[in-house]
């Protein structure tokens, strides 16, 4: 019975964390700290480490994929748009 209660509590905690999305809130907070508090650069590094650990714990697949592809070159640009002349032939002269 205790094992069942522990499993249900773990499922409820996981569901609650998934709905609350603490990694998004912490990521926004760390981004705000980096952008608008540049004087605190030395204290922001531990915050970034906490963000990475939290991301790795809550969304490991996407975190590792983003880490592996962080320095990939940007995708190639699409060709320019070509516009057709839709006027009647007698109007072009």
């Amino acid at each position: 019975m205790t094992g069942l209660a522990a499993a249900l509590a773990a499922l409820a905690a996981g569901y609650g964390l998934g709905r609350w999305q603490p990694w998004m809130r912490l990521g926004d907070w760390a981004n705000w700290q980096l952008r608008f508090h540049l004087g605190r650069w030395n204290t922001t590094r531990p915050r970034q480490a906490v963000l990475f650990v939290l991301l790795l714990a809550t969304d490991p697949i996407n975190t590792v994929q983003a880490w592996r592809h962080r320095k990939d070159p940007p995708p190639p640009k699409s060709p320019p748009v070509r516009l057709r002349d839709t006027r009647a032939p007698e109007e072009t002269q």
Side-chain angles (χ1 to χ4, degrees):
M1 190 68 170
T2 305
L4 179 63
L8 288 175
L11 284 173
Y15 176 77
L17 280 174
R19 296 288 292 175
W20 182 44
Q21 297 181 348
W23 58 91
M24 295 292 280
R25 294 171 189 255
L26 185 59
D28 292 342
W29 176 76
N31 185 24
W32 186 82
Q33 292 292 322
L34 277 174
R35 285 180 180 234
F36 303 114
H37 295 97
L38 294 178
R40 300 183 193 174
W41 182 255
N42 292 335
T43 59
T44 305
R45 290 294 186 168
R47 293 175 189 157
Q48 286 181 331
V50 168
L51 171 64
F52 182 73
V53 168
L54 187 59
L55 282 171
L56 197 56
T58 56
D59 195 8
I61 293 172
N62 289 331
T63 302
V64 170
Q65 182 181 9
W67 182 262
R68 286 183 180 162
H69 297 287
R70 70 189 184 279
K71 292 191 177 182
D72 286 352
K77 292 184 178 181
S78 61
V81 177
R82 296 180 61 181
L83 301 175
R84 294 183 325 193
D85 188 10
T86 58
R87 294 179 289 182
E90 61 272 355
E91 293 178 7
T92 59
Q93 296 176 3

